[in-house]
Amino acid sequence: MAAAFLLCPRLALPLRRGSRLLVSCSASASASSSGVGFVLRFHQSPFPQNRRRSCVVHLNDSIYDVTVWNRTESKCDPLLSLGAKFESSPARVASSCNVTFAMLADPESAAEVACGTNGAAEGMAPGKGYVDVSTVDDATSKLIGKHITSTGASFLEAPVSGSKKPAEDGLLIFLTAGDESLYKRVAPLLDVMGKSRFYLGGVGNGATMKLVVNMVMGSMMVSFAEGLLLSEKVGLDPNTIVEVISQGAINAPMFSLKGPSMVKAAYPTAFPLKHQQKDLRLALALAESVSQPIPTAAAANELYKVAKSLGLADHDFSAVIEALKAKVQSSQQ
């Protein structure tokens, strides 16, 4: 999800797939409020040219300049060309603003950027806030929160439901937990990028909610893929299956969006398969920790693992259908 949507509604920036950025917005001389920062990891493909605009945000009549960080500075070039500034570490970016947002690929990356050497925590201090938008397990979220709050700063976890298209349209759903005063403080920023936000209480609840949501999503996709393949096998038109489902009680936007491409064996990446499998893995660990059986999700996870072994990790998670195709081919040999 592009930093642009936190900075300006309907704004997207050109970013390379797999890049990891830290973006800070510091108030200009004419602004009346304090700076805001973003620590981000992007997996989307570059955004449309017609959505690219200057890296300046107008929030509550205040203007913010954008500062970015990446381990490879050249990956920031698309943002720098739009007027952003570069900083040399997460710590330096975080120290230049009052609130820092983080969005990383996995628990390891989230912890490293927040708590590692020259990490964002080193730039934190009383009065500052850290909002982690990464999808991680509750233990990692609590670890990051502990490091951040030890500096006197405030911590809020805020994983999102939604991928590339909702990010482009400002329709993400924020699942927040942690410091309630920080939640209220950053609410205007969340409203720029999202269509709704939930405050769920103590740290860990946001991470847990996101894992449950993505567990359901991953399992639904596997069932949908099975339906498409079965319909084709018995002589039905899978495109008609997509249409029928879209008009019934089990309709979900995901089916209408992904179905036509899946029928064509095309999987343009909105949410990488490797991240869906990671979330299922974390959900399984969560379920085990409370002795809750989730056999459907466990079976789905195995199929995503097969799809990864087929070289589909960076494809959209709808490519899990190829794992089912591979099972059919294997049984026929």
PDB file of all heavy atoms in Angstrom, residues 129-168:
ATOM      1  N   GLY A 129       4.688   9.029  18.543  1.00  0.00           N
ATOM      2  CA  GLY A 129       3.854   7.843  18.413  1.00  0.00           C
ATOM      3  C   GLY A 129       4.324   6.955  17.282  1.00  0.00           C
ATOM      4  O   GLY A 129       4.885   7.431  16.295  1.00  0.00           O
ATOM      5  N   TYR A 130       4.103   5.649  17.415  1.00  0.00           N
ATOM      6  CA  TYR A 130       4.485   4.659  16.409  1.00  0.00           C
ATOM      7  C   TYR A 130       3.264   3.807  16.106  1.00  0.00           C
ATOM      8  O   TYR A 130       2.685   3.193  17.003  1.00  0.00           O
ATOM      9  CB  TYR A 130       5.617   3.784  16.941  1.00  0.00           C
ATOM     10  CG  TYR A 130       6.290   2.917  15.899  1.00  0.00           C
ATOM     11  CD1 TYR A 130       7.261   3.433  15.051  1.00  0.00           C
ATOM     12  CD2 TYR A 130       5.981   1.561  15.788  1.00  0.00           C
ATOM     13  CE1 TYR A 130       7.910   2.637  14.114  1.00  0.00           C
ATOM     14  CE2 TYR A 130       6.620   0.752  14.858  1.00  0.00           C
ATOM     15  CZ  TYR A 130       7.578   1.296  14.024  1.00  0.00           C
ATOM     16  OH  TYR A 130       8.216   0.495  13.100  1.00  0.00           O
ATOM     17  N   VAL A 131       2.856   3.780  14.842  1.00  0.00           N
ATOM     18  CA  VAL A 131       1.689   3.020  14.413  1.00  0.00           C
ATOM     19  C   VAL A 131       2.165   1.931  13.461  1.00  0.00           C
ATOM     20  O   VAL A 131       2.653   2.226  12.367  1.00  0.00           O
ATOM     21  CB  VAL A 131       0.653   3.925  13.713  1.00  0.00           C
ATOM     22  CG1 VAL A 131      -0.581   3.119  13.328  1.00  0.00           C
ATOM     23  CG2 VAL A 131       0.277   5.102  14.602  1.00  0.00           C
ATOM     24  N   ASP A 132       2.028   0.664  13.869  1.00  0.00           N
ATOM     25  CA  ASP A 132       2.509  -0.447  13.044  1.00  0.00           C
ATOM     26  C   ASP A 132       1.347  -1.036  12.264  1.00  0.00           C
ATOM     27  O   ASP A 132       0.435  -1.631  12.824  1.00  0.00           O
ATOM     28  CB  ASP A 132       3.152  -1.514  13.927  1.00  0.00           C
ATOM     29  CG  ASP A 132       4.003  -2.472  13.112  1.00  0.00           C
ATOM     30  OD1 ASP A 132       3.767  -2.576  11.896  1.00  0.00           O
ATOM     31  OD2 ASP A 132       4.902  -3.115  13.688  1.00  0.00           O
ATOM     32  N   VAL A 133       1.413  -0.885  10.940  1.00  0.00           N
ATOM     33  CA  VAL A 133       0.351  -1.353  10.054  1.00  0.00           C
ATOM     34  C   VAL A 133       0.687  -2.731   9.471  1.00  0.00           C
ATOM     35  O   VAL A 133      -0.037  -3.254   8.640  1.00  0.00           O
ATOM     36  CB  VAL A 133       0.108  -0.309   8.943  1.00  0.00           C
ATOM     37  CG1 VAL A 133      -1.152  -0.589   8.150  1.00  0.00           C
ATOM     38  CG2 VAL A 133      -0.006   1.094   9.548  1.00  0.00           C
ATOM     39  N   SER A 134       1.786  -3.319   9.903  1.00  0.00           N
ATOM     40  CA  SER A 134       2.213  -4.622   9.397  1.00  0.00           C
ATOM     41  C   SER A 134       1.264  -5.728   9.871  1.00  0.00           C
ATOM     42  O   SER A 134       0.614  -5.612  10.907  1.00  0.00           O
ATOM     43  CB  SER A 134       3.623  -4.946   9.915  1.00  0.00           C
ATOM     44  OG  SER A 134       4.504  -3.858   9.740  1.00  0.00           O
ATOM     45  N   THR A 135       1.202  -6.820   9.094  1.00  0.00           N
ATOM     46  CA  THR A 135       0.473  -8.012   9.527  1.00  0.00           C
ATOM     47  C   THR A 135       1.462  -8.948  10.201  1.00  0.00           C
ATOM     48  O   THR A 135       2.297  -9.567   9.539  1.00  0.00           O
ATOM     49  CB  THR A 135      -0.199  -8.727   8.343  1.00  0.00           C
ATOM     50  OG1 THR A 135      -1.144  -7.841   7.741  1.00  0.00           O
ATOM     51  CG2 THR A 135      -0.922  -9.973   8.822  1.00  0.00           C
ATOM     52  N   VAL A 136       1.385  -9.016  11.521  1.00  0.00           N
ATOM     53  CA  VAL A 136       2.313  -9.834  12.309  1.00  0.00           C
ATOM     54  C   VAL A 136       1.526 -10.599  13.360  1.00  0.00           C
ATOM     55  O   VAL A 136       0.327 -10.385  13.538  1.00  0.00           O
ATOM     56  CB  VAL A 136       3.388  -8.957  12.992  1.00  0.00           C
ATOM     57  CG1 VAL A 136       4.196  -8.180  11.956  1.00  0.00           C
ATOM     58  CG2 VAL A 136       2.756  -7.995  13.997  1.00  0.00           C
ATOM     59  N   ASP A 137       2.189 -11.488  14.073  1.00  0.00           N
ATOM     60  CA  ASP A 137       1.542 -12.176  15.190  1.00  0.00           C
ATOM     61  C   ASP A 137       1.499 -11.261  16.402  1.00  0.00           C
ATOM     62  O   ASP A 137       2.225 -10.264  16.478  1.00  0.00           O
ATOM     63  CB  ASP A 137       2.298 -13.467  15.515  1.00  0.00           C
ATOM     64  CG  ASP A 137       3.755 -13.198  15.805  1.00  0.00           C
ATOM     65  OD1 ASP A 137       4.518 -12.926  14.849  1.00  0.00           O
ATOM     66  OD2 ASP A 137       4.134 -13.227  16.982  1.00  0.00           O
ATOM     67  N   ASP A 138       0.642 -11.603  17.354  1.00  0.00           N
ATOM     68  CA  ASP A 138       0.469 -10.720  18.510  1.00  0.00           C
ATOM     69  C   ASP A 138       1.734 -10.620  19.354  1.00  0.00           C
ATOM     70  O   ASP A 138       2.011  -9.571  19.946  1.00  0.00           O
ATOM     71  CB  ASP A 138      -0.719 -11.168  19.361  1.00  0.00           C
ATOM     72  CG  ASP A 138      -0.565 -12.574  19.928  1.00  0.00           C
ATOM     73  OD1 ASP A 138       0.185 -13.378  19.335  1.00  0.00           O
ATOM     74  OD2 ASP A 138      -1.198 -12.865  20.960  1.00  0.00           O
ATOM     75  N   ALA A 139       2.547 -11.688  19.385  1.00  0.00           N
ATOM     76  CA  ALA A 139       3.780 -11.639  20.167  1.00  0.00           C
ATOM     77  C   ALA A 139       4.750 -10.609  19.591  1.00  0.00           C
ATOM     78  O   ALA A 139       5.392  -9.854  20.341  1.00  0.00           O
ATOM     79  CB  ALA A 139       4.438 -13.016  20.210  1.00  0.00           C
ATOM     80  N   THR A 140       4.864 -10.568  18.273  1.00  0.00           N
ATOM     81  CA  THR A 140       5.744  -9.589  17.637  1.00  0.00           C
ATOM     82  C   THR A 140       5.232  -8.182  17.867  1.00  0.00           C
ATOM     83  O   THR A 140       6.011  -7.263  18.144  1.00  0.00           O
ATOM     84  CB  THR A 140       5.862  -9.865  16.125  1.00  0.00           C
ATOM     85  OG1 THR A 140       6.431 -11.155  15.918  1.00  0.00           O
ATOM     86  CG2 THR A 140       6.727  -8.819  15.437  1.00  0.00           C
ATOM     87  N   SER A 141       3.929  -8.000  17.764  1.00  0.00           N
ATOM     88  CA  SER A 141       3.351  -6.683  17.987  1.00  0.00           C
ATOM     89  C   SER A 141       3.623  -6.201  19.411  1.00  0.00           C
ATOM     90  O   SER A 141       3.975  -5.041  19.641  1.00  0.00           O
ATOM     91  CB  SER A 141       1.847  -6.714  17.715  1.00  0.00           C
ATOM     92  OG  SER A 141       1.299  -5.414  17.692  1.00  0.00           O
ATOM     93  N   LYS A 142       3.486  -7.106  20.369  1.00  0.00           N
ATOM     94  CA  LYS A 142       3.741  -6.738  21.763  1.00  0.00           C
ATOM     95  C   LYS A 142       5.219  -6.433  21.986  1.00  0.00           C
ATOM     96  O   LYS A 142       5.574  -5.540  22.764  1.00  0.00           O
ATOM     97  CB  LYS A 142       3.273  -7.859  22.688  1.00  0.00           C
ATOM     98  CG  LYS A 142       1.754  -7.997  22.735  1.00  0.00           C
ATOM     99  CD  LYS A 142       1.324  -9.201  23.559  1.00  0.00           C
ATOM    100  CE  LYS A 142      -0.195  -9.336  23.593  1.00  0.00           C
ATOM    101  NZ  LYS A 142      -0.645 -10.541  24.332  1.00  0.00           N
ATOM    102  N   LEU A 143       6.112  -7.176  21.314  1.00  0.00           N
ATOM    103  CA  LEU A 143       7.548  -6.918  21.412  1.00  0.00           C
ATOM    104  C   LEU A 143       7.880  -5.530  20.894  1.00  0.00           C
ATOM    105  O   LEU A 143       8.609  -4.763  21.541  1.00  0.00           O
ATOM    106  CB  LEU A 143       8.321  -7.970  20.613  1.00  0.00           C
ATOM    107  CG  LEU A 143       9.835  -7.741  20.490  1.00  0.00           C
ATOM    108  CD1 LEU A 143      10.510  -7.883  21.850  1.00  0.00           C
ATOM    109  CD2 LEU A 143      10.435  -8.723  19.482  1.00  0.00           C
ATOM    110  N   ILE A 144       7.335  -5.182  19.723  1.00  0.00           N
ATOM    111  CA  ILE A 144       7.579  -3.859  19.147  1.00  0.00           C
ATOM    112  C   ILE A 144       7.003  -2.787  20.068  1.00  0.00           C
ATOM    113  O   ILE A 144       7.647  -1.770  20.337  1.00  0.00           O
ATOM    114  CB  ILE A 144       6.958  -3.766  17.746  1.00  0.00           C
ATOM    115  CG1 ILE A 144       7.692  -4.712  16.786  1.00  0.00           C
ATOM    116  CG2 ILE A 144       7.011  -2.334  17.217  1.00  0.00           C
ATOM    117  CD1 ILE A 144       7.035  -4.837  15.427  1.00  0.00           C
ATOM    118  N   GLY A 145       5.796  -3.035  20.561  1.00  0.00           N
ATOM    119  CA  GLY A 145       5.180  -2.067  21.461  1.00  0.00           C
ATOM    120  C   GLY A 145       6.008  -1.826  22.711  1.00  0.00           C
ATOM    121  O   GLY A 145       6.133  -0.693  23.188  1.00  0.00           O
ATOM    122  N   LYS A 146       6.610  -2.899  23.232  1.00  0.00           N
ATOM    123  CA  LYS A 146       7.440  -2.774  24.436  1.00  0.00           C
ATOM    124  C   LYS A 146       8.657  -1.898  24.164  1.00  0.00           C
ATOM    125  O   LYS A 146       9.012  -1.031  24.979  1.00  0.00           O
ATOM    126  CB  LYS A 146       7.880  -4.160  24.902  1.00  0.00           C
ATOM    127  CG  LYS A 146       8.731  -4.148  26.158  1.00  0.00           C
ATOM    128  CD  LYS A 146       9.093  -5.574  26.588  1.00  0.00           C
ATOM    129  CE  LYS A 146       9.958  -5.564  27.842  1.00  0.00           C
ATOM    130  NZ  LYS A 146      10.306  -6.952  28.270  1.00  0.00           N
ATOM    131  N   HIS A 147       9.312  -2.099  23.008  1.00  0.00           N
ATOM    132  CA  HIS A 147      10.475  -1.281  22.659  1.00  0.00           C
ATOM    133  C   HIS A 147      10.087   0.188  22.483  1.00  0.00           C
ATOM    134  O   HIS A 147      10.799   1.085  22.928  1.00  0.00           O
ATOM    135  CB  HIS A 147      11.120  -1.806  21.379  1.00  0.00           C
ATOM    136  CG  HIS A 147      12.079  -2.932  21.596  1.00  0.00           C
ATOM    137  ND1 HIS A 147      11.659  -4.221  21.839  1.00  0.00           N
ATOM    138  CD2 HIS A 147      13.440  -2.959  21.612  1.00  0.00           C
ATOM    139  CE1 HIS A 147      12.728  -4.999  21.992  1.00  0.00           C
ATOM    140  NE2 HIS A 147      13.796  -4.262  21.861  1.00  0.00           N
ATOM    141  N   ILE A 148       8.962   0.408  21.809  1.00  0.00           N
ATOM    142  CA  ILE A 148       8.547   1.783  21.545  1.00  0.00           C
ATOM    143  C   ILE A 148       8.168   2.501  22.835  1.00  0.00           C
ATOM    144  O   ILE A 148       8.610   3.626  23.105  1.00  0.00           O
ATOM    145  CB  ILE A 148       7.365   1.804  20.558  1.00  0.00           C
ATOM    146  CG1 ILE A 148       7.771   1.241  19.193  1.00  0.00           C
ATOM    147  CG2 ILE A 148       6.820   3.234  20.416  1.00  0.00           C
ATOM    148  CD1 ILE A 148       8.873   1.981  18.495  1.00  0.00           C
ATOM    149  N   THR A 149       7.363   1.853  23.666  1.00  0.00           N
ATOM    150  CA  THR A 149       6.893   2.523  24.880  1.00  0.00           C
ATOM    151  C   THR A 149       8.006   2.691  25.914  1.00  0.00           C
ATOM    152  O   THR A 149       7.915   3.565  26.786  1.00  0.00           O
ATOM    153  CB  THR A 149       5.722   1.746  25.507  1.00  0.00           C
ATOM    154  OG1 THR A 149       6.110   0.377  25.750  1.00  0.00           O
ATOM    155  CG2 THR A 149       4.519   1.757  24.578  1.00  0.00           C
ATOM    156  N   SER A 150       9.074   1.888  25.815  1.00  0.00           N
ATOM    157  CA  SER A 150      10.200   2.057  26.741  1.00  0.00           C
ATOM    158  C   SER A 150      10.903   3.390  26.528  1.00  0.00           C
ATOM    159  O   SER A 150      11.633   3.852  27.400  1.00  0.00           O
ATOM    160  CB  SER A 150      11.198   0.907  26.580  1.00  0.00           C
ATOM    161  OG  SER A 150      11.879   0.983  25.335  1.00  0.00           O
ATOM    162  N   THR A 151      10.688   4.009  25.374  1.00  0.00           N
ATOM    163  CA  THR A 151      11.288   5.318  25.089  1.00  0.00           C
ATOM    164  C   THR A 151      10.409   6.463  25.574  1.00  0.00           C
ATOM    165  O   THR A 151      10.784   7.624  25.470  1.00  0.00           O
ATOM    166  CB  THR A 151      11.506   5.491  23.572  1.00  0.00           C
ATOM    167  OG1 THR A 151      10.233   5.606  22.915  1.00  0.00           O
ATOM    168  CG2 THR A 151      12.281   4.319  22.989  1.00  0.00           C
ATOM    169  N   GLY A 152       9.215   6.121  26.068  1.00  0.00           N
ATOM    170  CA  GLY A 152       8.257   7.137  26.477  1.00  0.00           C
ATOM    171  C   GLY A 152       7.269   7.481  25.381  1.00  0.00           C
ATOM    172  O   GLY A 152       6.348   8.274  25.603  1.00  0.00           O
ATOM    173  N   ALA A 153       7.447   6.887  24.181  1.00  0.00           N
ATOM    174  CA  ALA A 153       6.534   7.129  23.065  1.00  0.00           C
ATOM    175  C   ALA A 153       5.297   6.246  23.199  1.00  0.00           C
ATOM    176  O   ALA A 153       5.254   5.329  24.027  1.00  0.00           O
ATOM    177  CB  ALA A 153       7.244   6.859  21.740  1.00  0.00           C
ATOM    178  N   SER A 154       4.296   6.487  22.375  1.00  0.00           N
ATOM    179  CA  SER A 154       3.056   5.715  22.373  1.00  0.00           C
ATOM    180  C   SER A 154       3.066   4.733  21.208  1.00  0.00           C
ATOM    181  O   SER A 154       3.692   4.978  20.173  1.00  0.00           O
ATOM    182  CB  SER A 154       1.849   6.654  22.239  1.00  0.00           C
ATOM    183  OG  SER A 154       1.832   7.592  23.304  1.00  0.00           O
ATOM    184  N   PHE A 155       2.323   3.624  21.375  1.00  0.00           N
ATOM    185  CA  PHE A 155       2.296   2.587  20.345  1.00  0.00           C
ATOM    186  C   PHE A 155       0.867   2.194  20.012  1.00  0.00           C
ATOM    187  O   PHE A 155       0.018   2.042  20.893  1.00  0.00           O
ATOM    188  CB  PHE A 155       3.051   1.341  20.815  1.00  0.00           C
ATOM    189  CG  PHE A 155       2.993   0.199  19.835  1.00  0.00           C
ATOM    190  CD1 PHE A 155       3.718   0.227  18.660  1.00  0.00           C
ATOM    191  CD2 PHE A 155       2.185  -0.903  20.104  1.00  0.00           C
ATOM    192  CE1 PHE A 155       3.651  -0.824  17.753  1.00  0.00           C
ATOM    193  CE2 PHE A 155       2.118  -1.965  19.206  1.00  0.00           C
ATOM    194  CZ  PHE A 155       2.854  -1.925  18.021  1.00  0.00           C
ATOM    195  N   LEU A 156       0.618   2.021  18.711  1.00  0.00           N
ATOM    196  CA  LEU A 156      -0.679   1.553  18.225  1.00  0.00           C
ATOM    197  C   LEU A 156      -0.429   0.568  17.090  1.00  0.00           C
ATOM    198  O   LEU A 156       0.332   0.857  16.166  1.00  0.00           O
ATOM    199  CB  LEU A 156      -1.510   2.732  17.695  1.00  0.00           C
ATOM    200  CG  LEU A 156      -2.939   2.417  17.242  1.00  0.00           C
ATOM    201  CD1 LEU A 156      -3.858   2.212  18.448  1.00  0.00           C
ATOM    202  CD2 LEU A 156      -3.474   3.548  16.360  1.00  0.00           C
ATOM    203  N   GLU A 157      -1.023  -0.609  17.183  1.00  0.00           N
ATOM    204  CA  GLU A 157      -0.972  -1.523  16.036  1.00  0.00           C
ATOM    205  C   GLU A 157      -2.204  -1.242  15.188  1.00  0.00           C
ATOM    206  O   GLU A 157      -3.282  -0.949  15.724  1.00  0.00           O
ATOM    207  CB  GLU A 157      -0.926  -2.980  16.477  1.00  0.00           C
ATOM    208  CG  GLU A 157      -2.112  -3.413  17.313  1.00  0.00           C
ATOM    209  CD  GLU A 157      -2.055  -4.889  17.693  1.00  0.00           C
ATOM    210  OE1 GLU A 157      -1.117  -5.574  17.294  1.00  0.00           O
ATOM    211  OE2 GLU A 157      -2.987  -5.334  18.403  1.00  0.00           O
ATOM    212  N   ALA A 158      -2.035  -1.321  13.862  1.00  0.00           N
ATOM    213  CA  ALA A 158      -3.152  -0.982  12.975  1.00  0.00           C
ATOM    214  C   ALA A 158      -3.070  -1.744  11.661  1.00  0.00           C
ATOM    215  O   ALA A 158      -3.031  -1.151  10.580  1.00  0.00           O
ATOM    216  CB  ALA A 158      -3.173   0.525  12.718  1.00  0.00           C
ATOM    217  N   PRO A 159      -3.034  -3.096  11.706  1.00  0.00           N
ATOM    218  CA  PRO A 159      -3.018  -3.843  10.447  1.00  0.00           C
ATOM    219  C   PRO A 159      -4.265  -3.528   9.635  1.00  0.00           C
ATOM    220  O   PRO A 159      -5.303  -3.154  10.188  1.00  0.00           O
ATOM    221  CB  PRO A 159      -2.991  -5.304  10.907  1.00  0.00           C
ATOM    222  CG  PRO A 159      -3.542  -5.285  12.291  1.00  0.00           C
ATOM    223  CD  PRO A 159      -3.098  -3.986  12.883  1.00  0.00           C
ATOM    224  N   VAL A 160      -4.153  -3.678   8.317  1.00  0.00           N
ATOM    225  CA  VAL A 160      -5.259  -3.316   7.452  1.00  0.00           C
ATOM    226  C   VAL A 160      -5.831  -4.532   6.740  1.00  0.00           C
ATOM    227  O   VAL A 160      -5.124  -5.491   6.443  1.00  0.00           O
ATOM    228  CB  VAL A 160      -4.831  -2.279   6.385  1.00  0.00           C
ATOM    229  CG1 VAL A 160      -4.409  -0.984   7.046  1.00  0.00           C
ATOM    230  CG2 VAL A 160      -3.715  -2.822   5.498  1.00  0.00           C
ATOM    231  N   SER A 161      -7.112  -4.468   6.470  1.00  0.00           N
ATOM    232  CA  SER A 161      -7.764  -5.418   5.586  1.00  0.00           C
ATOM    233  C   SER A 161      -7.940  -4.720   4.252  1.00  0.00           C
ATOM    234  O   SER A 161      -8.553  -3.652   4.173  1.00  0.00           O
ATOM    235  CB  SER A 161      -9.120  -5.844   6.162  1.00  0.00           C
ATOM    236  OG  SER A 161      -9.763  -6.755   5.295  1.00  0.00           O
ATOM    237  N   GLY A 162      -7.393  -5.328   3.193  1.00  0.00           N
ATOM    238  CA  GLY A 162      -7.419  -4.703   1.875  1.00  0.00           C
ATOM    239  C   GLY A 162      -6.049  -4.753   1.244  1.00  0.00           C
ATOM    240  O   GLY A 162      -5.041  -4.762   1.945  1.00  0.00           O
ATOM    241  N   SER A 163      -6.011  -4.800  -0.087  1.00  0.00           N
ATOM    242  CA  SER A 163      -4.730  -4.880  -0.791  1.00  0.00           C
ATOM    243  C   SER A 163      -4.589  -3.712  -1.751  1.00  0.00           C
ATOM    244  O   SER A 163      -4.961  -2.580  -1.421  1.00  0.00           O
ATOM    245  CB  SER A 163      -4.612  -6.228  -1.518  1.00  0.00           C
ATOM    246  OG  SER A 163      -5.690  -6.416  -2.417  1.00  0.00           O
ATOM    247  N   LYS A 164      -4.077  -3.967  -2.956  1.00  0.00           N
ATOM    248  CA  LYS A 164      -3.699  -2.885  -3.867  1.00  0.00           C
ATOM    249  C   LYS A 164      -4.866  -1.968  -4.253  1.00  0.00           C
ATOM    250  O   LYS A 164      -4.777  -0.753  -4.103  1.00  0.00           O
ATOM    251  CB  LYS A 164      -3.067  -3.489  -5.120  1.00  0.00           C
ATOM    252  CG  LYS A 164      -2.662  -2.450  -6.155  1.00  0.00           C
ATOM    253  CD  LYS A 164      -2.089  -3.109  -7.388  1.00  0.00           C
ATOM    254  CE  LYS A 164      -1.786  -2.082  -8.462  1.00  0.00           C
ATOM    255  NZ  LYS A 164      -1.253  -2.711  -9.686  1.00  0.00           N
ATOM    256  N   LYS A 165      -5.944  -2.542  -4.769  1.00  0.00           N
ATOM    257  CA  LYS A 165      -7.053  -1.715  -5.246  1.00  0.00           C
ATOM    258  C   LYS A 165      -7.704  -0.921  -4.127  1.00  0.00           C
ATOM    259  O   LYS A 165      -7.936   0.296  -4.277  1.00  0.00           O
ATOM    260  CB  LYS A 165      -8.092  -2.592  -5.951  1.00  0.00           C
ATOM    261  CG  LYS A 165      -9.179  -1.800  -6.697  1.00  0.00           C
ATOM    262  CD  LYS A 165      -8.559  -0.961  -7.795  1.00  0.00           C
ATOM    263  CE  LYS A 165      -9.615  -0.380  -8.733  1.00  0.00           C
ATOM    264  NZ  LYS A 165     -10.545   0.561  -8.112  1.00  0.00           N
ATOM    265  N   PRO A 166      -8.025  -1.527  -2.973  1.00  0.00           N
ATOM    266  CA  PRO A 166      -8.557  -0.727  -1.878  1.00  0.00           C
ATOM    267  C   PRO A 166      -7.600   0.372  -1.435  1.00  0.00           C
ATOM    268  O   PRO A 166      -8.042   1.463  -1.038  1.00  0.00           O
ATOM    269  CB  PRO A 166      -8.778  -1.755  -0.759  1.00  0.00           C
ATOM    270  CG  PRO A 166      -9.005  -3.036  -1.490  1.00  0.00           C
ATOM    271  CD  PRO A 166      -8.074  -2.969  -2.670  1.00  0.00           C
ATOM    272  N   ALA A 167      -6.294   0.105  -1.495  1.00  0.00           N
ATOM    273  CA  ALA A 167      -5.324   1.148  -1.132  1.00  0.00           C
ATOM    274  C   ALA A 167      -5.401   2.298  -2.118  1.00  0.00           C
ATOM    275  O   ALA A 167      -5.377   3.476  -1.729  1.00  0.00           O
ATOM    276  CB  ALA A 167      -3.917   0.562  -1.095  1.00  0.00           C
ATOM    277  N   GLU A 168      -5.470   1.968  -3.405  1.00  0.00           N
ATOM    278  CA  GLU A 168      -5.561   3.015  -4.418  1.00  0.00           C
ATOM    279  C   GLU A 168      -6.811   3.858  -4.253  1.00  0.00           C
ATOM    280  O   GLU A 168      -6.803   5.067  -4.493  1.00  0.00           O
ATOM    281  CB  GLU A 168      -5.546   2.389  -5.816  1.00  0.00           C
ATOM    282  CG  GLU A 168      -4.201   1.797  -6.219  1.00  0.00           C
ATOM    283  CD  GLU A 168      -4.248   1.182  -7.606  1.00  0.00           C
ATOM    284  OE1 GLU A 168      -5.364   0.844  -8.070  1.00  0.00           O
ATOM    285  OE2 GLU A 168      -3.183   1.047  -8.221  1.00  0.00           O
TER     286      GLU A 168
END
